[in-house]
Amino acid sequence: MRILVTGATGTLGGALVPALLKAGHEVRALSRTKRDDRGNVEWVWGDLISGNGVREAVDGVEAIAHLATSGRRGRGAVDVPGTRTLMILAHAAGVPHVLFTSMVGADRAAYGHLWHKLEAELLVQESGLGWTILRATPFHQWLHRRLRDYASLPVLPVDRSLPWQPVHTGEVATRAAALLSAGPAHREIEYGGPQVLNTEELVRTWLRASGLRRACLPVRYPGRLYAAQRAGDLTTDAAPKGEITWHDYLMPPPPVLSDDFASEHTASPTSPATQPEQDPDLHVYGGDEGYERPTRS
């Protein structure tokens, strides 16, 4: 099956592309930067916001994995207008299946960036195409980068009342690849990590793994989104769950030989697929999800 992946250079995209190739699919990756084809991946140029190049990108594909997002600071520029453009052009091209990656809690706490995710979900559901919504909890990799931003502070602000359920992108990618292979589910599917931790547990494990000593200052974050998180709206009991814990992501056990390409190449935090911060393009739209800086042609 030929599958178009938007956000292929992002955190999840970097894990999904090898998972799809391992499953025997042909991968076409959408990028705002012109790239040469490599590693059995066909790279095509396109801009989800303007729509330029997207018609050509969707032509001839049998499924779309729509991962691209503006992120928490991008004000929905890709999530809503970009998804609308993609759905219109995909419908015109007769694409049978669109898998859209969203976030756990988008339907229960539609505030801020989660509101944009919910709006994009509705656009996918009302597109007239076969669809699947995969809602994931926050990625290990995203939390790791967020905590690293605070590493220079002598004291870390910690809201002990906030639960987190981090999940590894490699496992989300494996789940997404299986859903794409299975065809349209016409439902929302939640996928979370194996543990629910409070912020202090999360931070202290990270400090230990990073070899840092910092005091933790108790705080209570205000706002409706944090209130929803405090109430457990951003965690899930859905099964199956991921298996890689926050501790094992930060301090992985000795590697075990495996014939699972996706696991081998995405499970370690030192894998290039889990280090998108090395690419400066990925920070422009608030994004850890692969929507890149425009470039001059």
Side-chain angles (χ1 to χ4, degrees):
M1 180 163 52
R2 180 177 294 168
I3 299 173
L4 173 68
V5 179
T6 73
T9 59
T11 309
L12 181 56
L16 179 59
V17 168
L20 292 175
L21 292 173
K22 176 62 178 178
H25 298 296
E26 298 177 38
V27 175
R28 177 181 292 173
L30 183 70
S31 173
R32 290 191 71 181
T33 301
K34 292 184 178 180
R35 300 169 182 260
D36 294 328
D37 295 348
R38 63 182 187 274
N40 298 320
V41 178
E42 176 193 3
W43 287 92
V44 295
W45 177 86
D47 180 358
L48 287 172
I49 295 178
S50 70
N52 294 334
V54 179
R55 188 185 307 275
E56 294 77 11
V58 300
D59 183 46
V61 301
E62 297 163 85
I64 297 173
H66 182 28
L67 317 182
T69 179
S70 307
R72 294 169 182 254
R73 293 170 290 180
R75 300 184 179 180
V78 176
D79 297 275
V80 181
T83 298
R84 181 181 293 111
T85 297
L86 181 63
M87 292 305 99
I88 291 171
L89 295 175
H91 185 272
V95 178
H97 184 199
V98 175
L99 179 141
F100 176 66
T101 52
S102 185
M103 301 180 71
V104 167
D107 57 330
R108 301 186 289 270
Y111 312 122
H113 64 284
L114 292 185
W115 181 84
H116 298 310
K117 282 294 185 185
L118 183 61
E119 286 291 297
E121 285 187 17
L122 295 175
L123 288 170
V124 172
Q125 293 169 12
E126 296 169 0
S127 66
L129 304 173
W131 59 272
T132 304
I133 305 294
L134 177 59
R135 294 173 177 155
T137 53
F139 300 148
H140 291 318
Q141 289 82 351
W142 175 79
L143 283 167
H144 180 42
R145 292 198 303 273
R146 186 175 181 184
L147 286 168
R148 196 164 52 197
D149 290 340
Y150 292 97
S152 61
L153 299 177
V155 176
L156 299 183
V158 169
D159 186 338
R160 295 187 179 98
S161 66
L162 295 179
W164 299 89
Q165 190 180 4
V167 66
H168 198 281
T169 54
E171 295 182 312
V172 179
T174 298
R175 181 75 166 131
L179 292 171
L180 285 162
S181 296
H186 293 283
R187 64 188 180 97
E188 303 87 359
I189 296 168
E190 295 188 345
Y191 189 77
Q195 297 174 307
V196 176
L197 308 171
N198 66 43
T199 308
E200 185 166 16
E201 293 174 300
L202 195 87
V203 170
R204 291 199 182 280
T205 301
W206 179 81
L207 287 171
R208 187 164 63 253
S210 303
L212 299 174
R213 298 183 67 180
R214 298 288 188 276
C216 293
L217 176 67
V219 298
R220 188 175 179 87
Y221 293 123
R224 292 184 297 175
L225 187 56
Y226 284 120
Q229 183 175 354
R230 200 169 284 118
D233 290 341
L234 308 191
T235 59
T236 179
D237 293 326
K241 298 180 184 294
E243 297 180 359
I244 300 174
T245 65
W246 176 240
H247 176 278
D248 285 350
Y249 162 70
L250 294 171
M251 294 173 277
V256 177
L257 293 178
S258 168
D259 59 357
D260 185 336
F261 182 93
S263 295
E264 289 178 7
H265 289 268
T266 64
S268 169
T270 60
S271 167
T274 64
Q275 301 297 319
E277 66 272 11
Q278 294 175 359
D279 186 344
D281 286 342
L282 306 188
H283 294 281
V284 176
Y285 293 97
D288 41 1
E289 299 309 318
Y291 204 71
E292 304 163 355
R293 175 189 294 113
T295 58
R296 294 187 179 93
S297 58

